[in-house]
């Protein structure tokens, strides 16, 4: 089974040193945010007037735990090592500092996402939620390389008693946690009448309110007729994209619609389609899709930076069932693009390497008879 979450360009197997340094950096940030909470400086400001909505997310090197580590301290024969201090080499110091900066960026992006996509609009106009003051910082869940895991952290937020029932409804709606919304709905329905939810401002909470009350006919007419139209409204929320595409696809996948998805303007819809469609397609379905639309699919994946992680997983799934004409069209379109990016060349060579010798001979024979042989040779063989 191909892992469609595998990312060739950003993931690697972490070493024990990586894991330890990640833990040190996360522990330093955990300690830092507790100190700022106690001193009332851990805040999130969207404007200068409201201290409840302030942003002060920077790491302070006077952090007590940071001082205990004595980063980069050199002990000489004339110095006495302070009590409770740990000396670490300069290269490890540098790595810890880099991880600290990584976590700082991750936290800022995570806060920005929730301010713009979850706790937004008239409901929060006069009182932007200070998320960091409501969380136990252990609830921030990280993946490798100090990346915040948004989905796991959101589930932890639903268990946090400092968020109101409406806050939790907004969180669950943004992440399309349907089971959690169903469980909290009795409590939500008691207070929902106090809030105005328009589809334009709150497409996901609006959808879930209609879903829970069995009144999907209250959705805008255009969305009722084609629920795909809600997808552009959910921005970069990949979890929401995946949820709605699962509804759209259902048990029967419209094979001809896959090409339309890959021609659309929204990379998120392509990502959702890759994750939900391709693992479910039979070999006959894959053969149909790639014989008709294979070049469109592969070119879109290769030329969209956020989608390049899917090129090899998809190719490894289909390389044994495609025909020579499909492979030829892919390389013809790559040459027509005249894209100078090295990554395009790298991906082209990987596709070529993971293709049977018979198909490669077919493509080579064509290019040797054409005027574009030199361009093809440069793409595939020359630096």
């Amino acid at each position: 089974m191909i892992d469609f979450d595998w990312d060739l360009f950003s993931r690697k197997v972490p070493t024990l040193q990586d894991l330890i340094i990640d833990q040190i950096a996360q522990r330093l940030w955990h300690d830092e945010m507790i100190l700022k909470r106690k001193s009332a400086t851990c805040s999130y400001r969207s404007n200068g007037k409201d201290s409840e909505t302030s942003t002060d997310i920077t790491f302070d090197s006077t952090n007590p735990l940071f001082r205990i580590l004595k980063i980069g301290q050199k002990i000489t024969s004339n110095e006495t090592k302070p009590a409770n201090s740990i000396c670490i080499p300069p290269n490890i110091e540098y790595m810890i500092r880099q991880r600290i900066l990584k976590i700082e960026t991750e936290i800022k992006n995570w806060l920005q996402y929730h301010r713009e996509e979850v706790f937004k609009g008239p409901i929060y106009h006069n009182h932007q939620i200070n998320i960091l003051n409501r969380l136990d910082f252990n609830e921030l869940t990280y993946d490798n390389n100090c990346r915040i895991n948004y989905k796991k952290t959101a589930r932890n937020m639903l268990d946090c008693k400092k968020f109101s029932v409406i806050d939790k409804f907004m969180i669950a709606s943004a992440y399309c946690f349907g089971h959690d919304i169903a469980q909290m709905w009795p409590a939500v329905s008691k207070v929902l009448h106090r809030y105005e939810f328009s589809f334009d401002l709150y497409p996901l909470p609006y959808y879930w309110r209609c879903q829970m009350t069995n009144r999907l006919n209250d959705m805008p007419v255009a969305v009722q007729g084609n629920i795909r139209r809600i997808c552009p409204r959910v921005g970069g929320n990949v979890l929401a994209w995946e949820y709605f595409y699962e509804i759209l696809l259902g048990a029967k996948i419209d094979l001809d619609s896959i090409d339309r998805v890959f021609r659309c303007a929204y990379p998120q819809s392509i990502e959702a389609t890759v994750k939900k469609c391709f693992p479910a397609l039979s070999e006959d379905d894959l053969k149909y899709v790639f014989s008709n639309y294979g070049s469109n699919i592969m070119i879109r994946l290769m030329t969209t930076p956020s989608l390049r992680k899917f090129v090899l997983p998809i190719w490894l799934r289909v390389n044994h069932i495609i025909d020579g004409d499909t492979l030829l069209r892919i390389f013809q379109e790559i040459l027509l693009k005249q894209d100078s990016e090295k990554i395009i060349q790298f991906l082209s060579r990987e596709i070529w390497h993971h293709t049977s010798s018979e198909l490669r001979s077919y493509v080579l024979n064509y290019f040797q008879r054409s005027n574009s042989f030199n361009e093809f040779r440069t793409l595939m063989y020359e630096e």
Side-chain angles (χ1 to χ4, degrees), residues 8 21 34-35 63 74 118 148 153 158 173 189 223 273 278 284 305 315 319 323 342 360 367 374:
L8 172 69
I21 289 174
I34 289 176
L35 285 173
N63 177 305
K74 296 180 179 178
V118 183
I148 293 178
T153 301
L158 295 182
S173 296
S189 60
V223 177
T273 300
F278 285 97
D284 287 340
W315 190 251
N319 63 354
D323 55 32
K342 288 290 185 183
R360 282 187 286 183
F367 279 112
N374 289 335

Short mmCIF file of all heavy atoms in Angstrom, two decimals, residues 8 21 34-35 63 74 118 148 153 158 173 189 223 273 278 284 305 315 319 323 342 360 367 374:
data_model
loop_
_atom_site.label_atom_id
_atom_site.label_comp_id
_atom_site.label_asym_id
_atom_site.label_seq_id
_atom_site.Cartn_x
_atom_site.Cartn_y
_atom_site.Cartn_z
N LEU A 8 8.65 13.23 0.21
CA LEU A 8 10.07 13.04 -0.11
C LEU A 8 10.91 14.26 0.25
O LEU A 8 12.07 14.14 0.60
CB LEU A 8 10.20 12.74 -1.61
CG LEU A 8 11.61 12.69 -2.19
CD1 LEU A 8 12.33 11.46 -1.65
CD2 LEU A 8 11.56 12.64 -3.72
N ILE A 21 17.00 16.62 20.78
CA ILE A 21 17.04 18.07 20.60
C ILE A 21 15.64 18.64 20.43
O ILE A 21 15.31 19.70 20.98
CB ILE A 21 17.95 18.44 19.41
CG1 ILE A 21 19.41 18.18 19.79
CG2 ILE A 21 17.76 19.90 18.98
CD1 ILE A 21 20.38 18.35 18.66
N ILE A 34 4.85 29.19 30.03
CA ILE A 34 4.35 29.23 31.41
C ILE A 34 4.85 30.49 32.11
O ILE A 34 4.09 31.17 32.81
CB ILE A 34 4.78 27.96 32.18
CG1 ILE A 34 4.00 26.75 31.66
CG2 ILE A 34 4.55 28.14 33.67
CD1 ILE A 34 4.42 25.45 32.28
N LEU A 35 6.12 30.84 31.91
CA LEU A 35 6.65 32.07 32.51
C LEU A 35 5.91 33.30 32.01
O LEU A 35 5.58 34.20 32.77
CB LEU A 35 8.14 32.19 32.19
CG LEU A 35 9.10 31.28 32.95
CD1 LEU A 35 10.50 31.41 32.38
CD2 LEU A 35 9.10 31.63 34.43
N ASN A 63 15.31 32.72 30.02
CA ASN A 63 14.52 31.61 30.53
C ASN A 63 15.37 30.78 31.51
O ASN A 63 16.48 30.39 31.17
CB ASN A 63 14.08 30.76 29.33
CG ASN A 63 13.30 29.52 29.71
OD1 ASN A 63 13.76 28.72 30.50
ND2 ASN A 63 12.14 29.38 29.12
N LYS A 74 31.93 27.60 28.13
CA LYS A 74 33.22 26.90 28.10
C LYS A 74 33.83 26.92 29.50
O LYS A 74 34.02 27.98 30.08
CB LYS A 74 34.17 27.57 27.11
CG LYS A 74 33.68 27.51 25.67
CD LYS A 74 34.66 28.18 24.73
CE LYS A 74 34.17 28.09 23.30
NZ LYS A 74 35.07 28.78 22.36
N VAL A 118 -10.80 30.07 12.53
CA VAL A 118 -11.65 29.44 13.55
C VAL A 118 -12.34 30.49 14.41
O VAL A 118 -13.57 30.61 14.40
CB VAL A 118 -10.81 28.48 14.43
CG1 VAL A 118 -11.71 27.77 15.44
CG2 VAL A 118 -10.08 27.47 13.57
N ILE A 148 3.84 21.44 14.53
CA ILE A 148 2.62 21.25 15.29
C ILE A 148 1.68 20.36 14.50
O ILE A 148 1.42 20.59 13.32
CB ILE A 148 1.95 22.60 15.61
CG1 ILE A 148 2.83 23.41 16.58
CG2 ILE A 148 0.57 22.38 16.23
CD1 ILE A 148 2.27 24.79 16.91
N THR A 153 -3.75 18.38 18.06
CA THR A 153 -3.87 19.50 18.98
C THR A 153 -5.32 19.96 19.07
O THR A 153 -5.81 20.31 20.16
CB THR A 153 -2.97 20.67 18.54
OG1 THR A 153 -1.61 20.22 18.51
CG2 THR A 153 -3.08 21.85 19.50
N LEU A 158 -10.52 20.31 22.33
CA LEU A 158 -11.91 19.95 22.64
C LEU A 158 -12.05 19.41 24.06
O LEU A 158 -13.13 19.46 24.64
CB LEU A 158 -12.42 18.92 21.63
CG LEU A 158 -12.55 19.38 20.18
CD1 LEU A 158 -13.12 18.27 19.32
CD2 LEU A 158 -13.41 20.63 20.06
N SER A 173 -16.01 22.32 14.01
CA SER A 173 -16.52 22.63 12.66
C SER A 173 -15.37 22.87 11.71
O SER A 173 -15.37 22.38 10.57
CB SER A 173 -17.43 23.86 12.71
OG SER A 173 -18.59 23.62 13.47
N SER A 189 -26.79 23.36 21.00
CA SER A 189 -28.11 23.81 20.54
C SER A 189 -28.80 24.71 21.56
O SER A 189 -29.63 25.54 21.20
CB SER A 189 -28.99 22.60 20.22
OG SER A 189 -29.17 21.79 21.37
N VAL A 223 -25.08 25.81 -3.37
CA VAL A 223 -24.35 24.78 -2.64
C VAL A 223 -25.19 23.52 -2.53
O VAL A 223 -24.68 22.40 -2.59
CB VAL A 223 -23.93 25.28 -1.25
CG1 VAL A 223 -23.25 24.19 -0.45
CG2 VAL A 223 -23.02 26.49 -1.39
N THR A 273 -8.28 14.89 -3.39
CA THR A 273 -8.59 13.88 -4.39
C THR A 273 -7.52 12.78 -4.40
O THR A 273 -7.83 11.59 -4.47
CB THR A 273 -8.69 14.52 -5.79
OG1 THR A 273 -9.73 15.49 -5.77
CG2 THR A 273 -9.01 13.48 -6.85
N PHE A 278 -7.30 7.98 -5.11
CA PHE A 278 -6.37 7.03 -5.69
C PHE A 278 -6.20 5.75 -4.88
O PHE A 278 -6.07 4.67 -5.47
CB PHE A 278 -5.03 7.71 -5.97
CG PHE A 278 -5.09 8.61 -7.18
CD1 PHE A 278 -5.30 9.97 -7.03
CD2 PHE A 278 -4.98 8.10 -8.45
CE1 PHE A 278 -5.38 10.80 -8.13
CE2 PHE A 278 -5.06 8.91 -9.56
CZ PHE A 278 -5.26 10.27 -9.40
N ASP A 284 -8.25 -1.28 -13.03
CA ASP A 284 -8.96 -0.93 -14.26
C ASP A 284 -9.32 0.55 -14.27
O ASP A 284 -9.21 1.22 -15.30
CB ASP A 284 -10.23 -1.78 -14.40
CG ASP A 284 -9.92 -3.23 -14.78
OD1 ASP A 284 -8.81 -3.47 -15.28
OD2 ASP A 284 -10.79 -4.09 -14.54
N PRO A 305 4.28 23.35 -6.36
CA PRO A 305 5.21 22.99 -5.27
C PRO A 305 4.57 22.21 -4.14
O PRO A 305 5.16 21.23 -3.65
CB PRO A 305 5.72 24.36 -4.80
CG PRO A 305 5.68 25.21 -6.03
CD PRO A 305 4.44 24.77 -6.77
N TRP A 315 3.10 7.73 -9.00
CA TRP A 315 3.76 7.03 -10.10
C TRP A 315 4.03 5.57 -9.75
O TRP A 315 3.87 4.67 -10.58
CB TRP A 315 5.05 7.74 -10.49
CG TRP A 315 5.63 7.19 -11.76
CD1 TRP A 315 6.74 6.43 -11.91
CD2 TRP A 315 5.08 7.35 -13.07
NE1 TRP A 315 6.93 6.09 -13.24
CE2 TRP A 315 5.91 6.67 -13.97
CE3 TRP A 315 3.96 8.03 -13.57
CZ2 TRP A 315 5.66 6.62 -15.33
CZ3 TRP A 315 3.71 7.99 -14.94
CH2 TRP A 315 4.56 7.28 -15.79
N ASN A 319 2.81 2.98 -12.50
CA ASN A 319 3.84 2.81 -13.55
C ASN A 319 3.76 1.47 -14.28
O ASN A 319 4.24 1.34 -15.40
CB ASN A 319 5.24 3.03 -12.98
CG ASN A 319 5.60 2.01 -11.91
OD1 ASN A 319 4.78 1.19 -11.50
ND2 ASN A 319 6.83 2.06 -11.44
N ASP A 323 0.53 2.98 -20.58
CA ASP A 323 1.06 2.59 -21.89
C ASP A 323 2.09 3.60 -22.36
O ASP A 323 2.30 4.65 -21.74
CB ASP A 323 -0.07 2.45 -22.92
CG ASP A 323 -0.91 3.71 -23.04
OD1 ASP A 323 -0.36 4.82 -22.85
OD2 ASP A 323 -2.11 3.60 -23.31
N LYS A 342 15.20 22.84 -11.22
CA LYS A 342 15.92 21.59 -11.05
C LYS A 342 15.00 20.48 -10.54
O LYS A 342 15.19 19.31 -10.86
CB LYS A 342 17.09 21.78 -10.09
CG LYS A 342 18.25 22.58 -10.66
CD LYS A 342 18.99 21.80 -11.74
CE LYS A 342 20.21 22.54 -12.23
NZ LYS A 342 20.89 21.81 -13.33
N ARG A 360 10.46 2.79 -21.84
CA ARG A 360 11.55 3.74 -22.08
C ARG A 360 12.04 3.65 -23.53
O ARG A 360 12.33 4.65 -24.17
CB ARG A 360 12.69 3.51 -21.09
CG ARG A 360 12.39 4.09 -19.71
CD ARG A 360 13.59 4.00 -18.79
NE ARG A 360 13.82 2.64 -18.34
CZ ARG A 360 14.77 2.28 -17.49
NH1 ARG A 360 15.61 3.18 -17.01
NH2 ARG A 360 14.90 1.03 -17.11
N PHE A 367 11.62 10.08 -29.61
CA PHE A 367 12.40 11.32 -29.53
C PHE A 367 13.61 11.30 -30.46
O PHE A 367 14.04 12.34 -30.96
CB PHE A 367 12.82 11.59 -28.09
CG PHE A 367 11.75 12.23 -27.26
CD1 PHE A 367 11.15 11.54 -26.21
CD2 PHE A 367 11.31 13.52 -27.51
CE1 PHE A 367 10.16 12.11 -25.45
CE2 PHE A 367 10.31 14.11 -26.75
CZ PHE A 367 9.74 13.40 -25.72
N ASN A 374 17.40 16.54 -28.55
CA ASN A 374 18.43 17.18 -27.73
C ASN A 374 17.84 17.72 -26.43
O ASN A 374 18.46 17.62 -25.36
CB ASN A 374 19.10 18.31 -28.51
CG ASN A 374 19.99 17.79 -29.62
OD1 ASN A 374 20.49 16.66 -29.54
ND2 ASN A 374 20.19 18.59 -30.66
#
